[in-house]
């Protein structure tokens, strides 16, 4: 039912245009694909969306028997064999043919839905694709969203979601597509798992986010206390002064040693060389001690 002119509040039941059929969303036990994208639906996403039992557990069967038993005029059996379906997920359009039984998808994108994402949606453990993008959803991403263990594609972009990205999202081993761009999310981006494969484009438009692959968080700089920063600066200054001091001393010693070799007698030259050698040894020892003290201080 995508790309129509369906409007009004998102109801707990669906009706056709002539209101001949009424299906309670909470009782569509065999529903595997719900696509209401590109309509004009408003209101909140009902919590009854979690009652799709076929998406509650990952199922592997190739033939699905549909039986509508609550409506006598529609008592029919429908067998779905070797059919195909086109689903928009993972940022592209995919056609599924032989593996329809493995496809579970909810696409409510490009509507005018508002309110928070119901926590009940995390009960859909077998859901593969979830697209709620381009709506007016607010609040936080459900903290327990990692309970949807089969999730492969999650698109929550272009909403008004706030708060942090749940860290447990990194535990979803099958999550190959994620789009959280253009919300009001903040905090550190989770690390590990599939998050190491995502680029910065999926976080665009969230000024409060930080961490890889975005710039570092301000709290990273706070890991170094002011006293440690001051000690490091003092150590750097002392090291610079020592370097210049020994350079000047070396130049002076070398200059006078050169003059001594020219103007002094042989015996005096030997004595001078001996003194110069001793002085260089002393300078080397002092410099080594200073550097060792600085290293010990920095390590502490």
């Amino acid at each position: 039912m995508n790309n129509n002119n369906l409007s009004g509040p998102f109801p707990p039941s669906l009706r056709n245009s002539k209101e001949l059929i009424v299906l309670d969303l909470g009782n569509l036990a065999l529903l595997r694909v719900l696509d209401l994208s590109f309509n004009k639906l408003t209101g909140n996403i009902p919590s009854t969306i979690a009652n799709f039992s076929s998406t509650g557990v990952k199922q592997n069967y190739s033939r699905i028997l549909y039986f509508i038993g609550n409506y006598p005029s529609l008592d029919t059996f429908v067998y779905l064999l070797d059919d195909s379906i086109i689903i928009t997920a993972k940022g592209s359009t995919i056609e599924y043919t032989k593996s329809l039984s493995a496809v579970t998808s909810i696409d409510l994108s490009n509507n005018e839905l508002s309110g928070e994402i119901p926590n009940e949606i995390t009960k859909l453990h077998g859901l593969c694709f979830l697209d709620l993008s381009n709506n007016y959803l607010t609040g936080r991403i459900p903290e327990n969203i990692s309970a949807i263990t089969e999730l492969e594609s999650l698109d929550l972009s272009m909403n008004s979601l706030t708060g942090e990205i749940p860290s447990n999202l990194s535990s979803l081993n099958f999550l190959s597509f994620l789009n959280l761009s253009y919300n009001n999310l903040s905090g550190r981006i989770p690390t590990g798992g599939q998050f190491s494969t995502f680029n910065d484009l999926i976080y665009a438009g969230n000024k409060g986010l930080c961490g890889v692959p975005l710039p570092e968080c301000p709290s990273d700089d706070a890991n170094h206390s002011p006293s440690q920063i001051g000690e490091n600066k003092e150590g750097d200054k002392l090291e610079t002064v020592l370097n210049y001091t020994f350079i000047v001393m070396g130049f002076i010693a070398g200059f006078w040693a050169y003059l001594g070799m020219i103007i002094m007698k042989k015996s005096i030259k030997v004595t001078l060389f001996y003194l110069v050698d001793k002085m260089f040894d002393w300078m080397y020892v002092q410099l080594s001690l200073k550097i060792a003290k600085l290293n010990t201080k920095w390590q502490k």
Side-chain angles (χ1 to χ4, degrees), residues 256-282:
W256 285 107
Y258 176 74
L259 289 180
M261 287 188 295
I262 296 176
I263 64 176
M264 294 182 181
K265 295 180 179 180
K266 182 178 180 180
S267 59
I268 299 177
K269 290 179 181 180
V270 173
T271 303
L272 180 61
F273 278 121
Y274 177 77
L275 293 174
V276 170
D277 187 56
K278 285 291 186 181
M279 183 175 63
F280 274 110
D281 289 341
W282 178 84

Side-chain angles (χ1 to χ4, degrees), residues 16-299:
N16 70 355
S17 58
K18 296 182 181 180
E19 298 189 359
L20 293 178
I21 302 176
V22 180
L23 298 178
D24 186 355
L25 279 179
N27 290 323
L28 295 179
L30 293 177
L31 184 67
R32 303 190 65 79
V33 177
L34 175 63
D35 189 349
L36 292 170
S37 61
F38 291 95
N39 282 292
K40 299 177 182 178
L41 299 175
T42 59
N44 298 341
I45 301 174
S47 59
T48 54
I49 201 170
N51 294 336
F52 297 160
S53 60
S54 64
T55 58
V57 179
K58 188 71 173 179
Q59 301 181 45
N60 293 308
Y61 48 81
S62 58
R63 298 186 179 186
I64 304 175
L65 174 65
Y66 283 50
F67 172 61
I68 306 176
N70 295 330
Y71 306 97
S73 60
L74 296 174
D75 285 350
T76 57
F77 290 92
V78 179
Y79 289 91
L80 178 60
L81 299 176
D82 297 328
D83 207 341
S84 65
I85 189 170
I86 296 176
I87 295 178
T88 299
K90 299 185 179 182
S92 60
T93 300
I94 307 172
E95 182 177 5
Y96 289 87
T97 54
K98 301 297 182 180
S99 58
L100 285 180
S101 63
V103 177
T104 52
S105 172
I106 295 178
D107 189 347
L108 305 179
S109 63
N110 296 281
N111 280 285
E112 299 175 11
L113 300 174
S114 58
E116 298 185 359
I117 301 174
N119 288 323
E120 288 79 4
I121 206 168
T122 61
K123 297 178 181 179
L124 303 178
H125 307 303
L127 187 64
C128 296
F129 310 125
L130 177 60
D131 190 346
L132 304 178
S133 63
N134 200 15
N135 281 287
Y136 300 103
L137 299 175
T138 57
R140 304 172 70 92
I141 300 174
E143 187 65 30
N144 195 33
I145 196 168
S146 63
I148 313 177
T149 54
E150 301 292 335
L151 199 60
E152 299 178 28
S153 175
L154 176 62
D155 193 342
L156 303 178
S157 62
M158 291 184 286
N159 281 287
S160 298
L161 300 174
T162 57
E164 298 182 352
I165 302 173
S167 59
N168 54 27
L169 265 177
S170 61
S171 66
L172 294 178
N173 297 324
F174 300 110
L175 188 64
S176 58
F177 179 85
L178 176 66
N179 192 353
L180 302 176
S181 61
Y182 299 101
N183 280 284
N184 296 315
L185 299 173
S186 59
R188 186 185 298 276
I189 296 173
T191 57
Q194 295 293 82
F195 275 82
S196 61
T197 65
F198 300 142
N199 58 44
D200 58 346
L201 295 179
I202 71 170
Y203 308 113
N206 293 279
K207 296 182 179 179
L209 288 178
C210 59
V212 180
L214 300 181
E216 292 185 358
C217 299
S219 58
D220 294 338
D221 295 333
N223 291 334
H224 303 288
S225 64
S227 59
Q228 290 177 327
I229 296 175
E231 289 177 359
N232 290 338
K233 288 183 178 179
E234 291 178 0
D236 292 339
K237 291 181 180 179
L238 179 59
E239 184 178 4
T240 301
V241 171
L242 287 174
N243 288 337
Y244 281 114
T245 300
F246 284 109
I247 290 174
V248 172
M249 291 175 62
F251 174 77
I252 295 174
F255 175 75
W256 285 107
Y258 176 74
L259 289 180
M261 287 188 295
I262 296 176
I263 64 176
M264 294 182 181
K265 295 180 179 180
K266 182 178 180 180
S267 59
I268 299 177
K269 290 179 181 180
V270 173
T271 303
L272 180 61
F273 278 121
Y274 177 77
L275 293 174
V276 170
D277 187 56
K278 285 291 186 181
M279 183 175 63
F280 274 110
D281 289 341
W282 178 84
M283 291 170 58
Y284 175 77
V285 172
Q286 293 299 318
L287 179 61
S288 299
L289 290 174
K290 292 291 184 181
I291 293 176
K293 290 180 179 179
L294 286 174
N295 289 333
T296 302
K297 186 176 181 180
W298 292 336
Q299 289 175 0

